[in-house]
Amino acid sequence: MSPPQHSLRKLLPGFVIAAGTQVVLEVAKALPDGEQFKPPGSVGVVLESPADNQHPYLVRFADGETVQAYFDELALRRREVEDELGETTEDLSPWIIYRCQVGSKAFGLACEESDDDLRGIYLPPARLHWSLRRLPEQLEFKAEETDEVYWELEKFLRLALKANPNVLETLWTPLVLLADETAQELRAMRKAFLSKHVYKTYSGYVLSQFRRMANACKEKGAYKPKHAMHLIRLLYSGIAALQTGEIRIDVAEHRDELLHIRAGGLKFEEVKERALELDQQFQQAFERTALPEQPDYAQVDAFLIRARRRMVDA
């Protein structure tokens, strides 16, 4: 019988259990003599860790016996109960309260091959929120031409307060497909999320994207033009946010430039030069912006409490 797929499987792909970590066997394992077994539930310590999870760990028990066990045959002792409980198995799609279109179709950059990028929010009823079983921070549904992501409300709000570009674009897109009363209230108060964090967060995203492109050029001799286009688009969006207090979604006025970049029309050095020009404008906009130092935490907190209360009897 294969071991249960618990939350340990949700860790980073490269995660390896460190030597010295207490673990619990999830399956019976034969001892070196081949005649005796360590039963499921036995607690041991990782004596030696492999380079990756394709190879076994060496685990030692209190009696000095050792066995070799694979990643999927072990649970972290301190997380055993959490692993057994796991996430809720209930279908959460009925609790989606907000759905909208983002991506190239919202940006005014769509072509015939463009997929539908749908984003939104789900708000679970109190009985699920209070349950011992965890709720996922986001739901993902993928089809041939559709990519959907829905954040749990509190997770969404925390990301928005940090000025996460993807989340802010979800609040500002005009292409709304579904919005209940709570979602409409959220969109009406969306300026509460804007602050000078926009500059810091957007700059971080731009830097990450630039490093990604630079590494690709170094290792493969070429970068992905789509990454360059999003880097430039994000700079335009950040400048507009600091200058106007709004998140720019439709960038049709820059369509020709952005599509030229997406088509691979610029060398890496040319992209770098253009990005540096826009970054200078971004810095100047930051120095002059009227946005507050911090978002309106109190308003957002009060909104979350109201939303949770609405779901008590849902």
Side-chain angles (χ1 to χ4, degrees):
M1 182 177 68
S2 61
Q5 298 299 300
H6 51 57
S7 65
L8 194 57
R9 317 300 179 253
K10 295 182 180 295
L11 296 171
L12 294 173
F15 173 79
V16 173
I17 305 173
T21 304
Q22 291 189 6
V23 293
V24 181
L25 282 181
E26 293 196 331
V27 297
K29 296 294 293 185
L31 292 173
D33 62 15
E35 297 181 359
Q36 301 182 64
F37 290 81
K38 280 293 180 184
S42 299
V43 177
V45 175
V46 173
L47 194 61
E48 295 178 8
S49 301
D52 57 58
N53 289 317
Q54 302 303 311
H55 299 86
Y57 292 79
L58 182 64
V59 180
R60 181 172 61 193
F61 301 92
D63 59 7
E65 296 285 1
T66 61
V67 301
Q68 288 190 331
Y70 286 88
F71 183 76
D72 285 344
E73 298 173 326
L74 300 170
L76 300 180
R77 184 187 66 78
R78 292 184 178 180
R79 292 197 55 81
E80 187 178 15
V81 172
E82 289 88 342
D83 292 344
E84 290 173 353
L85 287 168
E87 289 185 348
T88 181
T89 57
E90 184 167 327
D91 179 16
L92 298 171
S93 56
W95 306 109
I96 293 172
I97 64 168
Y98 182 56
R99 180 184 294 113
C100 65
Q101 179 92 53
V102 294
S104 59
K105 292 186 177 180
F107 301 147
L109 301 172
C111 58
E112 291 183 3
E113 297 79 23
S114 296
D115 294 335
D116 282 312
D117 292 314
L118 305 182
R119 300 291 180 267
I121 301 167
Y122 86 95
L123 176 59
R127 62 179 176 81
L128 291 178
H129 192 72
W130 294 338
S131 171
L132 286 173
R133 295 189 180 277
R134 297 185 309 280
L135 285 165
E137 291 188 337
Q138 64 185 50
L139 312 176
E140 297 185 22
F141 307 101
K142 292 184 181 295
E144 186 174 348
E145 297 181 353
T146 305
D147 180 17
E148 300 182 56
V149 175
Y150 302 93
W151 291 276
E152 197 281 322
L153 178 62
E154 183 177 346
K155 177 65 174 181
F156 182 91
L157 298 179
R158 291 182 181 275
L159 289 173
L161 288 168
K162 296 175 182 177
N164 178 289
N166 295 325
V167 168
L168 292 182
E169 287 167 1
T170 298
L171 277 177
W172 258 265
T173 178
L175 304 181
V176 177
L177 307 177
L178 166 70
D180 76 351
E181 177 186 359
T182 299
Q184 291 176 34
E185 181 183 351
L186 178 59
R187 279 183 63 94
M189 55 171 277
R190 59 193 179 185
K191 287 194 175 183
F193 295 98
L194 293 186
S195 71
K196 290 183 179 179
H197 286 319
V198 166
Y199 178 74
K200 291 175 282 187
T201 304
Y202 277 50
S203 292
Y205 273 67
V206 167
L207 183 59
S208 296
Q209 195 80 293
F210 187 79
R211 285 177 176 170
R212 192 176 181 183
M213 291 165 53
N215 288 338
C217 285
K218 182 178 180 180
E219 295 172 4
K220 302 177 182 178
Y223 69 91
K224 289 187 177 181
K226 187 176 181 179
H227 293 165
M229 182 199 71
H230 284 303
L231 183 154
I232 300 300
R233 183 191 64 79
L234 201 59
L235 281 167
Y236 277 128
S237 180
I239 292 167
L242 294 176
Q243 290 177 338
T244 69
E246 300 283 352
I247 299 300
R248 173 175 292 177
I249 301 299
D250 190 336
V251 289
E253 65 183 281
H254 304 294
R255 177 181 170 86
D256 291 343
E257 177 189 8
L258 293 171
L259 291 185
H260 180 62
I261 295 172
R262 188 169 71 181
L266 296 184
K267 298 177 181 178
F268 176 71
E269 289 301 321
E270 292 175 315
V271 174
K272 179 179 178 180
E273 183 179 353
R274 182 61 179 142
L276 290 174
E277 290 175 358
L278 290 173
D279 186 60
Q280 284 293 320
Q281 296 179 35
F282 198 21
Q283 293 180 39
Q284 292 169 7
F286 175 65
E287 293 168 1
R288 301 167 184 168
T289 186
L291 290 181
E293 291 289 338
Q294 304 289 345
D296 192 338
Y297 293 118
Q299 184 180 359
V300 176
D301 191 46
F303 164 79
L304 177 60
I305 292 171
R306 287 195 301 275
R308 292 275 189 244
R309 283 175 174 162
R310 289 170 185 160
M311 302 305 290
V312 170
D313 298 322

